């Protein structure tokens, strides 16, 4: 009998100006889900969104300016290495 491999989960969180919530969201994901990676795509934030996400344990991709949710979701999805991708909002 061959052991079945466990699916690897990647979580993508597009966020813009969410410094007050994104750290809590990332920590919640890392506590609740056995994810191999949490990727926050900072969509041109003018606050400390990227820093708060990184401090909480996420890999952060930064857009130099606001390109929109769809483009940020796509960028995050292309950066994943998991078998399953879960998308969440950055503002809880």
């Amino acid at each position: 009998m061959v052991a079945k491999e466990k699916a690897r989960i990647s979580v993508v969180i597009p966020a813009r100006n969410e410094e007050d919530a994104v750290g809590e969201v990332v920590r919640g994901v890392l506590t609740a889900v056995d994810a191999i990676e949490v990727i926050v795509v900072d969509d041109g934030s003018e606050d400390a969104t990227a820093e708060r996400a990184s401090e909480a344990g996420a890999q952060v991709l930064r857009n130099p300016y606001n390109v929109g949710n769809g483009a940020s979701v796509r960028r995050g999805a292309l950066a994943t290495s998991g078998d399953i991708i879960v998308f969440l909002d950055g503002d809880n």
Side-chain angles (χ1 to χ4, degrees), residues 16 42-46 62-68 71-72 75:
R16 183 165 194 275
D42 178 12
D43 191 21
S45 293
E46 298 166 347
R62 296 185 86 164
N63 295 335
Y65 53 88
N66 178 246
V67 297
S72 295
R75 182 173 184 202

Side-chain angles (χ1 to χ4, degrees), residues 32-62:
V33 179
D34 188 19
I36 61 166
E37 60 195 354
V38 176
I39 299 172
V40 171
V41 182
D42 178 12
D43 191 21
S45 293
E46 298 166 347
D47 65 4
T49 295
E51 292 81 3
R52 297 300 167 269
S54 180
E55 290 167 358
Q59 173 188 342
V60 178
L61 304 176
R62 296 185 86 164

Side-chain angles (χ1 to χ4, degrees), residues 13-15 17-31 38 40 47-58 60 88-92:
I13 305 170
N17 295 331
E18 297 295 349
E19 70 181 354
D20 293 336
V22 72
E24 180 181 340
V25 172
V26 170
R27 285 187 293 276
V29 167
L30 291 172
T31 300
V38 176
V40 171
D47 65 4
T49 295
E51 292 81 3
R52 297 300 167 269
S54 180
E55 290 167 358
V60 178
L88 297 175
D89 275 343
D91 63 359
N92 234 352

